[in-house]
Amino acid sequence: MIVVAVVVIVLLWTRAAVRRLRVLKMRHRDSLRLLTNELDDRYDQVPALIAASAGAGMDRSRLSSVVGARSLAIAMRDQRLSLGERAAAENTLSAALHELIGVLDGVNHWPFIRVARELRTREQRIAGAARVHNDLGRTINTAATTFPTSVFARIAAVGPVPLFEVAAPLAPVAVAPPASAPAASADAPTGGSDTVAA
């Protein structure tokens, strides 16, 4: 009886562990889909930012870096590379966007500000989606490489997965005050700005 009880316990434990790993794999796949959708939406928003920059007096060299980084990220996506392999290109696009819209002191072209705020929110969504994706990936990788869960991982056909290392979210977007705002005091520094809340 004791042997039978031990066998039953082992079988139930194995079944529960395999089921948990399969659920983790499914959640990881869903997080990958969400992250991919967020990145694709960012690609679609960049042209609107470039179009709005015409009235904002943006430096063409800064625009060129964003356009080039977007083109590279899309090219890597179209090659069907994994997100782990695409991470460097995506981080380059994040850095280029941060350089362009991270701080907007002196910019009062509101169409540009609006798109910049939308992209800032998108960057934060990408960072959140990447965090969830990586947390699930690390859990899977630990299970797939650590005994005894590695045994269950083989049974569940779950192996190590690549991570997506995302850059930090953009800093809050700073904008110039509206023309109707009260004038600053004489001893206050010029070019001050308010920070737009997310």
Side-chain angles (χ1 to χ4, degrees), residues 32-55:
L32 175 62
R33 186 180 301 112
L34 173 61
L35 179 54
T36 301
N37 289 341
E38 293 291 351
L39 293 172
D40 287 344
D41 287 344
R42 180 171 68 176
Y43 300 150
D44 294 339
Q45 285 180 299
V46 170
L49 181 73
I50 300 302
S53 68

Side-chain angles (χ1 to χ4, degrees), residues 11 18 29-30 35 41 53 60-61 64 74 82 85 95 102 106-107 110 124 127 140 151 162 171 178 190 194:
L11 289 175
V18 169
R29 185 172 60 246
D30 291 342
L35 179 54
D41 287 344
S53 68
R60 291 180 63 87
S61 64
S64 297
I74 290 176
S82 70
E85 295 171 306
V107 177
W110 292 107
Q124 293 173 334
I140 290 173
V151 176
T190 58
D194 296 326

Side-chain angles (χ1 to χ4, degrees), residues 77-129:
R77 177 200 65 182
D78 292 345
Q79 292 176 29
R80 300 187 180 278
L81 300 177
S82 70
L83 274 182
E85 295 171 306
R86 293 167 50 190
E90 297 295 346
N91 285 343
T92 298
L93 178 54
S94 288
L97 285 169
H98 184 90
E99 178 68 22
L100 182 63
I101 65 176
V103 178
L104 296 174
D105 287 337
V107 177
N108 56 10
H109 186 63
W110 292 107
F112 184 84
I113 295 298
R114 177 182 58 79
V115 181
R117 291 180 65 187
E118 290 173 356
L119 268 167
R120 172 179 174 263
T121 300
R122 180 69 58 193
E123 287 290 304
Q124 293 173 334
R125 288 169 63 93
I126 289 171

Side-chain angles (χ1 to χ4, degrees), residues 105-167:
D105 287 337
V107 177
N108 56 10
H109 186 63
W110 292 107
F112 184 84
I113 295 298
R114 177 182 58 79
V115 181
R117 291 180 65 187
E118 290 173 356
L119 268 167
R120 172 179 174 263
T121 300
R122 180 69 58 193
E123 287 290 304
Q124 293 173 334
R125 288 169 63 93
I126 289 171
R131 190 176 304 114
V132 171
H133 177 76
N134 286 340
D135 286 347
L136 289 169
R138 290 188 184 97
T139 301
I140 290 173
N141 291 345
T142 299
T145 57
T146 306
F147 185 83
T149 53
S150 58
V151 176
F152 305 138
R154 284 194 290 272
I155 296 174
V158 174
V161 295
L163 303 180
F164 180 81
E165 301 299 338
V166 70

